[in-house]
Amino acid sequence: MRAVAVANTNIALVKYWGKRDTRLNLPAVGSLSLTLEGLTTRTEVRFDASLGADRLRLNGAPADERALGRVSRLLDLVRSEAGVTAKAEVTSANDFPTAAGLASSASAFAALALAATRAAGLSIDERALSVLARRGSGSAARSIFGGFVRMHRGDDHDATGTSAFAEPLVAAAGWQPCLVVGVTSQKAKETLSTDGMTHTAETSPYYSAWIGTSEADLAVAERAIATGDIETLGRVTEASCFAMHASALAARPAVVYFRGATIDGYHAIAELRKSGTPAWFTCDAGPHVKALTDLENAEKVAARLAEVPGVLSTRICRPGPAVRIVEGTS
Ligand code: DP6
């Protein structure tokens, strides 16, 4: 009744922002991401009939009620599927800043979904695992897989939500994409992505325009990955990011994730590109700067981002692996 799983985080190149069903956590749009090497969450789940309630430790400290509630809801799905009634002790740790826009919920719920199903004795396929992880966090469905991943928004008439799953994409051979992360803050972000996207959907006059960009951007990005066309992928990555943030900026009141260093980071990336270096900006529900580039240029992009005032550290991430079990189930 015990298992330990490790999942890598992922960064969306074509973003998910908005839900069409909050109970099943169905996304309003599909999305496309790159799973990253080296940014991981390790989660242990132990079902124990002697526990009166689920327990959660996050990064060495007891978690708050909201985080525990999210974890318990996912465990409830696993318990009902497996016929398990025992409560669980969950211990989870990230090797990167939590809740600061480095998509910690993606790796966290991917690792939790695998560790919990394994500890409960369930054996489900990867697609079903991505559907389960999505119930915890939309972006987590993508961290079930390594490399480039496509998340499907699913079918509007699907009452169970099983059509909103992620799957890996086959990238052109010999291509070495990289994501450079410029960490700008270790502080917890102000607006959690769940709240930011819900508020955007409810109040932003640009929300429907943002939703309208998604399908075409996904198709362009998918083709670019299949053909190894980093220029096209980079352009669509930047466009999707700014369309998402524009919808959030127009919410009332505005949801602003950018800090000074984020904008300066964008300009540094745009200047690199003007001088011939392939690099494109993206940013999530936090102030960190991220640049899509390739392995050949990654050091140069990281060095330039490191010079931006407010960028505390940089990290070069190659494509990372799928979620995996690292300790058994005895
Ligand atoms: C900006 O997956 O954190 O990172 O489903 O409410 O948990 P919930 O949202 P979450 O949102 C991620 C938003 C994003 C873009 C993306 O990863 O696609």
Side-chain angles (χ1 to χ4, degrees):
M1 298 299 277
R2 172 183 175 273
V4 185
V6 170
N8 288 57
T9 194
N10 72 77
I11 300 293
L13 306 180
V14 179
K15 303 293 186 194
Y16 149 51
W17 194 248
K19 300 172 194 289
R20 65 180 205 280
D21 179 313
T22 48
R23 189 183 63 85
L24 292 170
N25 201 31
L26 291 169
V29 288
S31 53
L32 189 153
S33 60
L34 183 64
T35 298
L36 303 183
E37 186 185 66
L39 300 171
T40 64
T41 302
R42 181 183 192 278
T43 299
E44 173 176 345
V45 175
R46 191 174 59 82
F47 288 103
D48 180 345
S50 71
L51 292 172
D54 291 327
R55 286 196 209 151
L56 172 64
R57 284 185 75 77
L58 269 183
N59 296 314
D64 63 30
E65 282 302 311
R66 184 173 175 162
L68 176 62
R70 278 180 86 168
V71 164
S72 277
R73 280 194 292 280
L74 197 88
L75 291 171
D76 285 344
L77 295 172
V78 173
R79 278 187 283 250
S80 81
E81 182 78 23
V84 169
T85 53
K87 299 295 180 192
E89 173 131 52
V90 179
T91 311
S92 188
N94 297 328
D95 64 355
F96 57 91
T98 303
L102 274 182
S104 57
S105 70
S107 48
F109 281 98
L112 179 68
L114 180 58
T117 47
R118 198 59 75 86
L122 274 181
S123 145
I124 62 174
D125 65 17
E126 288 170 326
R127 179 177 291 192
L129 197 60
S130 80
V131 167
L132 176 66
R134 187 205 76 227
R135 297 288 294 270
S137 182
S139 52
R142 302 185 308 237
S143 273
I144 299 302
F145 302 99
F148 286 110
V149 179
R150 167 80 197 260
M151 173 75 196
H152 298 277
R153 83 183 278 285
D155 176 356
D156 276 330
H157 306 294
D158 164 15
T160 58
T162 48
S163 63
F165 59 86
E167 62 183 349
L169 293 172
V170 179
W175 196 34
Q176 297 196 295
C178 262
L179 223 123
V180 179
V181 180
V183 175
T184 61
S185 166
Q186 305 283 342
K187 282 192 230 130
K189 63 188 168 190
E190 284 158 13
T191 310
L192 293 168
S193 45
T194 306
D195 301 336
M197 69 174 76
T198 305
H199 176 66
T200 301
E202 284 167 354
T203 69
S204 174
Y206 296 170
Y207 180 68
S208 60
W210 144 249
I211 297 296
T213 64
S214 176
E215 280 302 315
D217 283 355
L218 285 165
V220 169
E222 218 176 297
R223 249 192 85 69
I225 288 164
T227 56
D229 177 355
I230 196 167
E231 285 272 338
T232 302
L233 183 62
R235 274 202 301 273
V236 82
T237 293
E238 232 178 66
S240 175
C241 167
F242 279 122
M244 175 209 125
H245 281 280
S247 74
L249 287 168
R252 301 173 181 210
V255 181
V256 186
Y257 291 110
F258 300 147
R259 298 273 165 180
T262 323
I263 299 294
D264 287 343
Y266 161 73
H267 287 295
I269 292 165
E271 278 157 26
L272 274 174
R273 198 162 64 233
K274 267 189 211 130
S275 63
T277 303
W280 291 267
F281 169 88
T282 190
C283 166
D284 293 289
H288 306 302
V289 188
K290 295 148 193 172
L292 175 71
T293 184
D294 57 18
L295 190 58
E296 201 187 320
N297 291 284
E299 291 285 355
K300 187 172 174 185
V301 173
R304 179 66 192 91
L305 280 183
E307 289 169 8
V308 171
V311 171
L312 306 174
S313 63
T314 58
R315 186 156 185 163
I316 295 172
C317 302
R318 295 207 208 192
V323 67
R324 60 256 175 221
I325 289 286
V326 294
E327 273 179 47
T329 51
S330 60

